[in-house]
Amino acid sequence: MRLQVNDIVGRKSYGCDVLFRIIDIRVIEGKQEAVLYGEDLRLIADAPFEDLVPINGEERSVRQKTNEALQEQSYRLFAQDKELLQQKSEYLSSDGYRYSGDYFQIPGRVLHIDGDPSYLKKCLTLYEKIGIPVKGIYCNEKEMPGQIGELLEHYRPDILVITGHDSYSKSKGAIKDLDAYRHSRQFAETVQEARKKVPSLDQLIIFAGACQSHFESLIQAGANFASSPERVNIHALDPVYIVAKISFTSFRDYIHVWDVLRNTLTGEKGLGGIDTKGVLRTGLPYRMSKEE
């Protein structure tokens, strides 16, 4: 089989349930093996060439349309939530709409650190569509713990996203064993380093994890939200929907975990967390500059 880096494939042993992109090819004990990144799921995997099936353009198109329909549904649900959240914030800031002028709103600033530049680009596009101020940084998962302190000092975000690729391997240990996960240890160490800089769970809100990540260790390290409680795969854009809910919820309000998860593409099997305060601030009056 002639497969190359960047080819899109499925795994026969899993019924081709997930589309992967080949990102590296190596030879182990005389046999070719591919390193795979999920196209829409934050999953990394290894597979022998004999288990791989090339996915043709027609099949990719069908799956892409299904995926886009799910994304659009999540976006519509969030857009409805966003409008209600903004109306509530305006009402409270104006003492029951007694003020009839214009308002301005300051959503939470996001620092998104991603181990996959392709996923990071997709996420930044969605942040822009939603209207969230964000700085995106590509960083290899293994380098994140050493980089996070300097990045926090430089960008001073309200919300931190630490994500990339991960996976659990039964052959490496029990499900509770952190060493059985591809990058969960690095994610947890990155959260710990971030908490050394900003200990408060309300001053810096952290989402951490990827597909099948060790949820408990990430929460214990200090994350507000994390993946994956039931070790399932999460969608590439799920961190953005979690962040969006927090970013557009008033700092006066605590967010129940389910309110954050219900508009994600994965839900509570893949995502979880703790009750957390919003970060949106509303002000008045709004004055346009003379140039405008």
Side-chain angles (χ1 to χ4, degrees):
M1 184 187 304
R2 297 197 55 159
L3 292 174
Q4 300 177 334
V5 171
N6 287 325
D7 282 353
I8 304 301
V9 298
R11 295 178 295 177
K12 289 186 286 188
S13 58
Y14 287 84
C16 296
D17 59 339
V18 176
L19 295 190
F20 289 95
R21 183 180 299 275
I22 298 176
I23 59 106
D24 193 18
I25 296 172
R26 55 200 183 190
V27 178
I28 298 178
E29 296 181 354
K31 293 186 177 182
Q32 284 187 307
E33 183 176 275
V35 181
L36 310 171
Y37 276 4
E39 275 290 273
D40 297 301
L41 300 175
R42 289 185 172 276
L43 180 66
I44 184 171
D46 303 320
F49 263 39
E50 56 265 28
D51 191 36
L52 299 178
V53 179
I55 304 298
N56 61 40
E58 183 178 353
E59 174 67 14
R60 288 170 59 187
S61 179
V62 170
R63 296 204 189 195
Q64 184 177 1
K65 287 180 181 178
T66 300
N67 183 58
E68 288 175 351
L70 289 172
Q71 292 181 35
E72 186 59 30
Q73 180 183 18
S74 289
Y75 176 76
R76 285 199 306 270
L77 290 171
F78 171 74
Q80 293 172 3
D81 270 4
K82 177 183 175 182
E83 184 175 354
L84 291 173
L85 288 168
Q86 289 178 320
Q87 289 175 357
K88 179 180 179 182
S89 182
E90 290 176 3
Y91 182 84
L92 293 173
S93 295
S94 64
D95 191 20
Y97 289 131
R98 293 180 186 177
Y99 173 75
S100 58
D102 293 325
Y103 307 86
F104 62 91
Q105 293 188 319
I106 306 175
R109 294 168 293 124
V110 178
L111 173 61
H112 183 125
I113 303 172
D114 206 314
D116 186 310
S118 175
Y119 281 175
L120 178 60
K121 185 177 179 180
K122 292 179 182 180
C123 288
L124 293 177
T125 298
L126 184 56
Y127 282 121
E128 182 179 357
K129 183 178 181 180
I130 291 172
I132 296 174
V134 61
K135 177 64 180 180
I137 301 289
Y138 162 66
C139 183
N140 184 280
E141 289 89 349
K142 290 181 171 58
E143 298 174 0
M144 288 179 179
Q147 297 287 331
I148 189 61
E150 183 178 343
L151 290 170
L152 285 176
E153 288 183 1
H154 183 73
Y155 293 108
R156 303 178 68 83
D158 303 300
I159 305 166
L160 172 65
V161 176
I162 303 163
T163 189
H165 291 279
D166 206 357
S167 62
Y168 164 67
S169 176
K170 187 182 294 186
S171 64
K172 294 181 180 179
I175 200 166
K176 63 181 180 181
D177 185 358
L178 200 54
D179 291 327
Y181 295 79
R182 183 81 61 138
H183 290 134
S184 287
R185 183 176 296 279
Q186 286 78 29
F187 291 146
E189 290 174 354
T190 306
V191 174
Q192 289 173 339
E193 291 300 315
R195 284 294 172 221
K196 289 179 183 178
K197 293 290 184 181
V198 187
S200 171
L201 293 171
D202 291 327
Q203 290 182 357
L204 177 66
I205 297 164
I206 300 177
F207 170 89
C211 281
Q212 303 177 15
S213 291
H214 195 292
F215 172 77
E216 296 81 6
S217 69
L218 299 178
I219 294 296
Q220 289 168 6
N224 300 69
F225 299 93
S227 59
S228 167
E230 295 192 24
R231 306 307 193 260
V232 299
N233 299 329
I234 72 167
H235 194 276
L237 299 178
D238 275 336
V240 180
Y241 287 113
I242 286 180
V243 163
K245 179 71 172 182
I246 299 162
S247 187
F248 284 103
T249 296
S250 171
F251 74 98
R252 298 182 180 92
D253 297 331
Y254 273 92
I255 311 163
H256 189 275
V257 176
W258 175 242
D259 286 337
V260 178
L261 303 184
R262 64 191 179 93
N263 292 340
T264 63
L265 291 155
T266 304
E268 73 274 16
K269 289 185 178 181
L271 303 159
I274 58 175
D275 289 347
T276 297
K277 286 180 69 175
V279 295
L280 178 76
R281 292 182 181 268
T282 300
L284 56 89
Y286 174 74
R287 292 288 184 264
M288 297 179 68
S289 66
K290 292 181 180 179
E291 288 79 7
E292 295 176 311

